[in-house]
Amino acid sequence: MRVLLAVGSLPPDRCGVGTYTADLARELAQAPDFSVAVLSAAEGDERDGFEVLRPRRGWALRGAWSILTQVRRWRPDVAHFQYPAHGYGPHPLPWILPTFLRLMGIRIAITWHEYQHRLHLIDLPNTLLPGGLVAVRPSFLEQMPPLFRRLVRRKKFRMIANAASIPALELSSAHRAEVRRRFGPEDARLLAYFGFVYDHKGVEDLFAIADPTTDVLILVAELRDDDEYHRRISQLASSSAWAGRCFVTGFLPADEVAEVLAAADAVVLPFRMGGGMWNTSLAAAAAQGTFVLTTSTDGPGYDPERNVQYTVPGDLEEMRRALRNHSGKRVPANDELRRAEWRRIVEDHASLYQELLA
């Protein structure tokens, strides 16, 4: 089976959807009877068994013929588009291209990586187009507007939860101590945050949950001067209260991210709208066996198997209490679970593609 994945960004671009798509392409390419290519204007390298088809004029409408020619030459059975992605820019072509490819006889699948709370005019062609619809977040259909639900009711729907793209590490005591010494005294409680920095991630709440007299904060994230919210976090990180107690690493390679998460006493993800194992930052942290503190709209609770405590979004006092009770607690790192989740993702995609072709 020949599968073409379309996405706006690819590593090393900073885009969670692009990273997921590259991982999916690699995993599919390793499966028997699959040939995989990725259609993207990003500058990522060809690797891991899949080709990259690059639009010569990016995603501009004037480049549509070039894209269609490349796709025709590659001859995919299924084209699978990933939305949203920063790399598409303001161009409408990524949203109307599936219709062109369907007219060429190619089966179409679409993955939405975020909830669709509003129906935009540009989404109409894809809602009406026959094919597959994949969601990575639970209750996706229930959260769509009623009109949107009616328009997609004939699509073949799959809920295919995400998985971590970062390997799980089981650090020795000496290795963990060496990593911890990079950031502060050995007796400090090491708290880490990992992921993109947006207001709905609740990153500033870290500075209210943690205690600068006992804790060291590590933000495995990028803060840019041209972003107002990032500047606010930078001011908190560099304040007198957190001088020498807060470190912003910027983006790190996957193995270095895993080291920090595996060495921390807790990974704190105070999402304002709740999280779940579909969140790749949460999945990556939990895979290390480190205690993870996050939020959920489904109510509070502790998952002993994954060592994750869920609290009500915004309940900072309960988050402080959870840290007192659980920080430093560890369960064995489990990279096999992560690998099993990726095998499940490949199997679910293969099943959908086969149904589309049938």
Side-chain angles (χ1 to χ4, degrees):
M1 185 186 302
R2 298 176 67 80
V3 177
L4 176 67
L5 302 174
V7 70
S9 303
L10 285 173
D13 290 350
R14 318 304 189 188
C15 176
V17 176
T19 299
Y20 167 88
T21 305
D23 289 340
L24 177 59
R26 183 186 63 249
E27 298 291 338
L28 281 171
Q30 294 174 357
D33 304 322
F34 272 91
S35 295
V36 181
V38 176
L39 175 65
S40 180
E43 291 300 319
D45 295 328
E46 295 187 18
R47 58 183 191 176
D48 298 325
F50 63 86
E51 301 178 48
V52 179
L53 308 183
R54 290 194 176 85
R56 293 190 180 91
R57 294 179 174 84
W59 295 107
L61 275 173
R62 67 181 183 276
W65 183 253
S66 169
I67 293 175
L68 295 175
T69 300
Q70 288 190 72
V71 173
R72 185 183 296 110
R73 287 173 180 164
W74 199 79
R75 297 179 294 105
D77 299 302
V78 176
H80 190 162
F81 286 76
Q82 311 288 320
Y83 301 115
H86 299 302
Y88 289 141
H91 307 292
L93 183 58
W95 278 264
I96 61 177
L97 190 58
T99 300
F100 294 158
L101 298 188
R102 186 67 188 89
L103 293 173
M104 293 166 56
I106 300 168
R107 301 299 192 270
I108 301 298
I110 291 167
T111 291
W112 274 105
H113 291 264
E114 295 179 2
Y115 292 115
Q116 289 295 98
H117 296 299
R118 296 178 58 192
L119 177 60
H120 301 279
L121 186 62
I122 201 169
D123 294 320
L124 274 176
N126 286 335
T127 58
L128 298 172
L129 194 66
L133 175 63
V134 177
V136 301
R137 301 191 180 195
S139 304
F140 180 83
L141 293 178
E142 291 80 357
Q143 298 211 28
M144 297 174 80
L147 175 60
F148 211 154
R149 280 203 303 275
R150 287 197 294 272
L151 292 175
V152 302
R153 69 184 183 277
R154 293 186 179 178
K155 288 183 179 289
K156 301 182 188 302
F157 177 74
R158 295 288 193 283
M159 166 59 199
I160 305 178
N162 214 332
S165 59
I166 292 174
L169 296 181
E170 187 67 65
L171 299 184
S172 67
S173 297
H175 192 173
R176 179 172 289 109
E178 187 275 325
V179 175
R180 293 172 65 88
R181 281 194 293 269
R182 299 177 200 167
F183 299 102
E186 292 188 20
D187 61 344
R189 187 172 65 174
L190 212 62
L191 307 181
Y193 172 87
F194 163 58
F196 292 99
V197 175
Y198 299 116
D199 179 72
H200 67 271
K201 303 283 190 178
V203 180
E204 72 268 32
D205 288 344
L206 289 163
F207 297 90
I209 297 166
D211 182 347
T213 65
T214 59
D215 300 336
V216 169
L217 274 179
I218 307 172
L219 306 184
V220 186
E222 180 184 57
L223 297 179
R224 301 193 316 272
D225 292 335
D226 62 348
D227 186 288
E228 181 181 353
Y229 185 69
H230 287 200
R231 290 197 299 271
R232 192 192 320 168
I233 301 304
S234 293
Q235 291 170 358
L236 288 169
S238 59
S239 66
S240 57
W242 286 98
R245 309 288 288 193
C246 183
F247 298 84
V248 181
T249 68
F251 284 104
L252 298 175
D255 56 344
E256 293 183 30
V257 174
E259 273 192 335
V260 173
L261 299 181
D265 291 301
V267 179
V268 184
L269 305 170
F271 304 140
R272 296 194 185 283
M273 295 181 288
M277 292 309 298
W278 46 262
N279 180 279
T280 53
S281 296
L282 175 52
Q288 313 306 324
T290 304
F291 171 64
V292 181
L293 173 60
T294 190
T295 66
S296 173
T297 55
D298 295 328
Y302 176 67
D303 179 348
E305 181 180 1
R306 294 183 182 267
N307 198 20
V308 176
Q309 173 73 55
Y310 297 95
T311 64
V312 176
D315 192 341
L316 303 187
E317 181 53 43
E318 179 56 31
M319 294 183 195
R320 297 186 195 103
R321 187 178 304 113
L323 279 179
R324 290 194 297 270
N325 293 338
H326 298 294
S327 63
K329 183 183 296 185
R330 299 186 185 280
V331 298
N334 194 344
D335 201 55
E336 178 50 39
L337 176 59
R338 185 183 71 91
R339 300 296 313 142
E341 288 174 340
W342 273 109
R343 288 193 294 271
R344 180 260 309 161
I345 289 172
V346 168
E347 291 169 359
D348 288 349
H349 278 82
S351 173
L352 173 62
Y353 298 155
Q354 289 163 359
E355 188 173 349
L356 292 176
L357 291 174

